[in-house]
Structures are given as structure tokens and as C-alpha cells.
Amino acid sequence: MMSNHSSATEFCLLGFPGSQELHHILFAVFFLFYSVTVMGNTVIIVIICVDKPSLAVCVFALLGAMAVDRYVAVCNPLRYNTSVNSRTCISVVIGSWVFGFLSEIWPVYATFQFTFCKSNVLDHFFCDRGQLLKLSCDGTVFTEFVLFLMAVFIIIGSLAPTIVSYTYIISTILKIPTASGRRKAFSTCASHFTFVVIGYGSCLFLYVKPKQTQAAEYNKIVSLLIYVLTPFLSPFIYTLRNDKVKQALRDGVKSCCQLIKD
């Protein structure tokens, strides 16, 4: 039966509904967010190359590793420099990249084995897998179930060390006798905790569901938090609260001003 249908190879993204004026406003807002994100991350890269402060960049696998990093910083500060060294950081980053790449091989392969004969109009602003499965004429139940299990394994699996680490962190902070000491200890992990709440909260609602083909409107809103808001906030969260980055930035500005004067 399905051999009589031709499969769509190109898809049209509907994006956001509304008037042309609304589209212009959304374009301006998203372009601003994107520009700030690119510039913020560029500044981080330049600072690292020039001054080499201690930084971390997060995806889900790295969020779990960073939770352990914050645990060592708060609960075992004297062991931090020996435990969290350059070799450890490089190994964690490479492992996270390899894990992220391998985890996407099967979903991409399985998705494009389907026949897309219902339509080639995708009701989203990017090629979302859940909305893509809606257009398939084949049975997608098994694929959706496997994607659900993978989402549980990846998101919950990386969230587990975060929960355990923060349990110890909170316990340690509560034992600090002074209020200023508690605030200082909490500020050490506040940036990471903010990112965890936004990133994991959005992805739990979006991906950890047996039915991957949820309503497009719901999908778009949550996707904005993951793909627009989180990258936008990332440079601010991980630089403005990092004393080494701020000092490196000050030194860079002073050096530039000195060169201009000379």
C-alpha cells in the first residue's frame, strides 16, 4: 500500500502565525537574542584564549558533570584544584560531545526511514522531530516509545548526579553558621542551578512524554525556552557571576585602552 505513495523530501516551515507586523517584531526580537548570544560566546572564547580563566560550557551531559563540580567546590573546597584540573575538564567535554553525537544517530536514521506522504508543511519554526512524525503515513508508535526511553535515559540520567550533588550542597550550606557564609556558598552554584531549572524544566515538558507528537503551539513555546532563551542567558549566567572572567574582562579593557593611548 505504502509503495504507491511518494515520500516528501522537502518541508515548508510554517513558523509563527500572525500578521506581517508580528513577524517583523518576532524577527527583530529573535535576531537581537541571537546577536547577543553570538557576541557573548565570542567574548567568552576571546577571554579564554587571552587570559585562560576557569570556565565550563553546558549541555545536558555537562550539566550533570558541573553539578559534581559545584559539589566539590562547596563541600570539599581544599581538594578542588587537584580534583578539577585541565585533564579532567577536557575528558568530560570530549565524553559529553561523543555521547551527544552517538545518542542522535539512531533517532535521525529512524525518522528518515518513514514515508512522509500526508503533507510537506511542518507547523514549527525548525525541523522538530515530533511534528515531523505527524506527517508520516507509517506507524510511529515504536519509534516514539524508543525516543521516550532515550529522553528518560539522557535527561533523567544526567539529572540524577545533579540532584545528589545539590542534596549534599544544601546540607553543607545549612551547616554554615553565618548568613554571609551561606550566601557566598550559594552564589557559587546559583548560576548552574538557574541553568538547570530552565534547561531541564523545559526539556522534561517537551521530550519526556510517551507521545512525541504533542500540539504544535505548546511545542513552539517550550522550544523557545530551550533554543532561544537558554543560549541567550548562558553567557550572562556563566560570565557575569564568575570573578575570574570579570577580572579578565577588566584587564582586557585596560590593555585596549593602554594601546589606544600609546
Side-chain angles (χ1 to χ4, degrees):
M1 291 292 293
M2 296 310 301
S3 60
N4 295 328
H5 295 282
S6 60
S7 180
T9 57
E10 296 181 356
F11 297 92
C12 177
L13 302 178
L14 288 183
F16 293 93
S19 64
Q20 193 71 18
E21 289 76 13
L22 177 60
H23 290 169
H24 291 159
I25 294 173
L26 290 176
F27 172 80
V29 172
F30 295 155
F31 181 76
L32 174 63
F33 275 45
Y34 178 77
S35 300
V36 172
T37 301
V38 172
M39 288 188 293
N41 285 290
T42 302
V43 170
I44 293 174
I45 293 171
V46 171
I47 291 174
I48 292 173
C49 293
V50 173
D51 198 85
K52 295 181 174 57
S54 176
L55 282 174
V57 180
C58 292
V59 289
F60 286 117
L62 287 175
L63 281 173
M66 284 189 65
V68 179
D69 171 87
R70 294 300 85 198
Y71 160 75
V72 177
V74 174
C75 301
N76 296 284
L78 298 179
R79 297 175 55 190
Y80 185 80
N81 289 332
T82 57
S83 301
V84 186
N85 50 42
S86 298
R87 183 178 179 180
T88 302
C89 293
I90 292 172
S91 300
V92 170
V93 170
I94 293 176
S96 299
W97 284 348
V98 171
F99 175 75
F101 175 76
L102 294 178
S103 65
E104 282 298 315
I105 292 178
W106 183 86
V108 171
Y109 172 79
T111 299
F112 287 97
Q113 294 305 303
F114 292 118
T115 302
F116 301 101
C117 56
K118 292 182 179 179
S119 173
N120 71 332
V121 178
L122 199 67
D123 191 7
H124 214 290
F125 59 87
F126 73 100
C127 195
D128 177 67
R129 185 178 295 122
Q131 300 306 308
L132 194 61
L133 293 178
K134 280 186 175 183
L135 306 181
S136 174
C137 295
D138 304 322
T140 62
V141 176
F142 174 75
T143 300
E144 290 188 56
F145 179 69
V146 175
L147 291 174
F148 165 71
L149 292 180
M150 291 181 66
V152 170
F153 174 75
I154 294 171
I155 298 178
I156 303 299
S158 59
L159 185 59
T162 303
I163 295 174
V164 173
S165 296
Y166 272 105
T167 300
Y168 284 105
I169 289 171
I170 293 172
S171 176
T172 301
I173 291 176
L174 292 177
K175 293 177 183 178
I176 298 175
T178 63
S180 61
R182 288 193 294 269
R183 283 194 299 269
K184 184 177 180 180
F186 181 75
S187 66
T188 303
C189 53
S191 299
H192 176 260
F193 185 76
T194 303
F195 207 88
V196 165
V197 171
I198 297 174
Y200 278 110
S202 303
C203 284
L204 284 171
F205 281 109
L206 189 59
Y207 295 115
V208 185
K209 287 188 173 185
K211 190 69 174 175
Q212 297 291 308
T213 55
Q214 58 263 34
E217 292 77 13
Y218 168 88
N219 204 323
K220 290 177 186 177
I221 294 173
V222 181
S223 295
L224 285 176
L225 296 177
I226 300 173
Y227 299 110
V228 177
L229 183 61
T230 303
F232 173 76
L233 293 177
S234 180
F236 298 100
I237 290 175
Y238 289 111
T239 57
L240 296 182
R241 296 188 61 85
N242 190 306
D243 292 333
K244 290 185 178 181
V245 174
K246 289 188 287 188
Q247 185 58 47
L249 190 58
R250 293 191 197 101
D251 294 341
V253 172
K254 289 180 181 177
S255 299
C256 291
C257 293
Q258 188 65 37
L259 289 173
I260 293 173
K261 290 179 180 179
D262 296 338

